[in-house]
Structures are given as C-alpha cells and as structure tokens.
Amino acid sequence: MSDLGKIDSETFRDVIYPNLGANREDVAVGPRHGVDFGVLDIGERAVVVATDPISILPELGWRRAGRLALEIVLTDVAVSGIAPTHLAVNLTLPPSWSDDNLEALWTGLADHADRLGVSIVSGHTARYPGIDSSWVGGATVLGVGDHDDIVRPDGAAPGDDIVVTTGPAAEVTGLLATLYPEQLGLSPETVATAQERVADIAGVADARTAFETGGVTAMHDATEGGIAGGLVEMASGAGVRFDIEADAMPLAPGVATVCEAIEVDPWTVTSAGTLLCTVESGHGEAVVDALDDRGTPAAVVGTVTDGEGVFVDGERRSAPESDPSWSVFERFSGA
C-alpha cells in the first residue's frame, strides 16, 4: 500500500473490492479503481454518486478555500455527464477555527453550490480535538439524470479524439506558490504568475461544457497521479491505446518553472480541474472551441487506436506508483 494519497490498485483489488456489502441489483456502476463515480438505477432514472475528502486551506482565503474544496468534490459527478444536484457535507474542524472562519468558508462553499445549481441536503459540522490539518471532513455528491446521458469512464473507442483542458499540474503549481512562496526559490513575479493557477480549477463548468457540446465518450478528472495516471486509467478501462503528442498538450504559465524548481514531472502530479476527455472522431475541435469560449484552454492532444496502453510521441507512458507531490507538500510543511 502507498504511504500517502490514494491506496494503490493492488490494495483496492485485494481489500476493498471483495468487500462491498450487499450485492444489490440497483447498482449499475460500482466501485472501481480510478473511476470517479458510481451509478444507481432508481425507477428508470440514474443517480450518480461520488464521495471525496474535503481539504480547506486557510492560506487561500476562507471563502476561496470553501469554493475550491467544493469544486473538487463536485467534479467527480460532473465527469459522468450528469450535472451534480445534491450534496451532503461533513466538516470535522480543528478547535482553533473560529465561528468567523466557519462562516467565511461555509458561505464560500454554499455560494458556489448555488451558482452551480446544487442543493445542500444533509451534513454534520463540529470541532474535535486532535484535528490539526487541512483535511477536515468529506462530502457526498449526487446527480440525477437519464441513463442514456451517462458518460462512462471506460467509453473511449478507436478513432476518438483525445482532448485535455488546462494541462498538467495547474493545481499543484497554484497551491505550492500560495502556501510556500518563499520555499520555491523563485522570483516574486514568477510566484505571482504561479499563484494564478488556483483559478484554473473549474472542472464542473468545463465538464458540463464538453458534454453539452456533444460527442464526448469518456471523461476523467486528473487528480492524484496527474494526467499520466488518468490517461492510463482511461485507456486500460476501455481496452484501447492512446497516442499522445507531447507538444500539443496545453501548459499554463508558471507550471513548468515551479515543477522544475520542485523537481517533479508535471504529468505525474495531482491536477484537479484538468479534464481528460475522449470525443467522437471529428468532434474534438468543437469541444475545444466551446471550452475556449468559456475561458478554459484546451487542445486535441491525440487519438484513440486499437491496442493497449498510453504512448507519448511513440514512447510508452506508465502511471506513477504514487503521486510525487505528496512528498513535496510533506517536505515544505515540515521545513
């Protein structure tokens, strides 16, 4: 089992997957390693479900921290093609966080939910001793829609275009530049540019834009393991080969410089808000244009073919064994 971050595929296969409680017929899509959501079949309607931890980073500003935490949680349902609609939130807060802090983060979270048409229907909020990190709870998101609208994570097919939004490592770049600006050893101008990357995390609206444009066959949010891990999961799940052109990949300002400074490959680090999409042949550019119109850079970076695996400029690419950004955050937080 990996030391930090998500459990590895072997632990999931050996411990989690064989022990999933009752075997119910209404579970249309159950837990799978690397899959963002599950699906229930309820009276001919589909209920998409996803659960994620919540991380609140006060250094971002309380309201923005609440918005960002919610965005990351909601994206796991949005990549199904079904809009997130309902939310249950559990906040287990450090005793040092004041009522004013809670009010600011909660209004940031709730206002963002309102903008996205999501209702908060249940929750639990408390302070407990022994909690002293940013990981302060979790949330479960629901989306209700038609089964025919669901974009399955294993839906890629030969001939599809591969579309990537935002590019690698925007999340890590923005967070490190905001949380540890002096430890990066970069100029103030470079750090300021890198800090802007936090605003690039808009996976819900991007997923809705891609889906509504049409032709999307699979979507995945490039979180832990980055775009390398996400692409491998998508290709493996569909039993196909992805051929990627490295130069076609979007790259946001500041990303390359920060990743060089921390000595990590930007393709392997958590990139929440970066969507990996496969789109029916000939529809990729329309999806890119729609995303560009809403202010999100995107590009057709490759093609799905017969075979297996992910190949970048002809070289096979593997998923990282663990996300290297965890060790960077651990090192910087202990400095």
Side-chain angles (χ1 to χ4, degrees), residues 87-90 106 119-124:
L87 175 72
V89 182
N90 168 45
W106 184 262
S119 293
I120 300 170
V121 296
S122 181
H124 174 92

Side-chain angles (χ1 to χ4, degrees), residues 28-213:
V29 177
R32 289 169 50 193
H33 190 77
V35 175
D36 297 306
F37 57 86
V39 180
L40 303 180
D41 183 359
I42 306 295
E44 299 183 354
R45 296 281 278 171
V47 178
V48 181
V49 185
T51 294
D52 256 336
I54 285 181
S55 176
I56 300 292
L57 299 166
E59 294 86 350
L60 297 175
W62 291 100
R63 285 183 60 86
R64 185 165 68 151
R67 184 203 71 79
L68 178 62
L70 180 64
E71 180 70 32
I72 291 172
V73 168
L74 295 181
T75 300
D76 277 356
V77 163
V79 297
S80 73
I82 304 296
T85 53
H86 300 86
L87 175 72
V89 182
N90 168 45
L91 293 178
T92 52
L93 307 176
S96 60
W97 289 14
S98 70
D99 287 351
D100 288 343
N101 299 151
L102 171 60
E103 180 180 5
L105 77 86
W106 184 262
T107 53
L109 184 154
D111 287 350
H112 194 50
D114 185 33
R115 284 191 293 271
L116 294 173
V118 175
S119 293
I120 300 170
V121 296
S122 181
H124 174 92
T125 305
R127 297 182 181 91
Y128 293 111
I131 297 174
D132 58 1
S133 78
S134 66
W135 299 99
V136 293
T140 295
V141 187
L142 306 177
V144 182
D146 295 331
H147 282 280
D148 290 343
D149 288 337
I150 291 176
V151 177
R152 290 183 60 93
D154 57 0
D160 286 352
D161 296 329
I162 301 169
V163 174
V164 176
T165 73
T166 304
E171 178 197 3
V172 161
T173 295
L175 293 181
L176 286 175
T178 302
L179 300 175
Y180 310 108
E182 296 180 358
Q183 291 169 246
L184 292 175
L186 301 172
S187 70
E189 295 79 12
T190 300
V191 169
T193 297
Q195 289 171 343
E196 295 173 2
R197 301 284 68 80
V198 174
D200 294 342
I201 302 172
V204 176
D206 289 343
R208 295 303 301 155
T209 296
F211 174 78
E212 290 168 1
T213 302

Side-chain angles (χ1 to χ4, degrees), residues 155-162 215-218 277-282 302-305:
D160 286 352
D161 296 329
I162 301 169
V216 174
T217 57
C277 308
T278 58
V279 185
E280 293 174 359
S281 178
T303 306
V304 181
T305 61

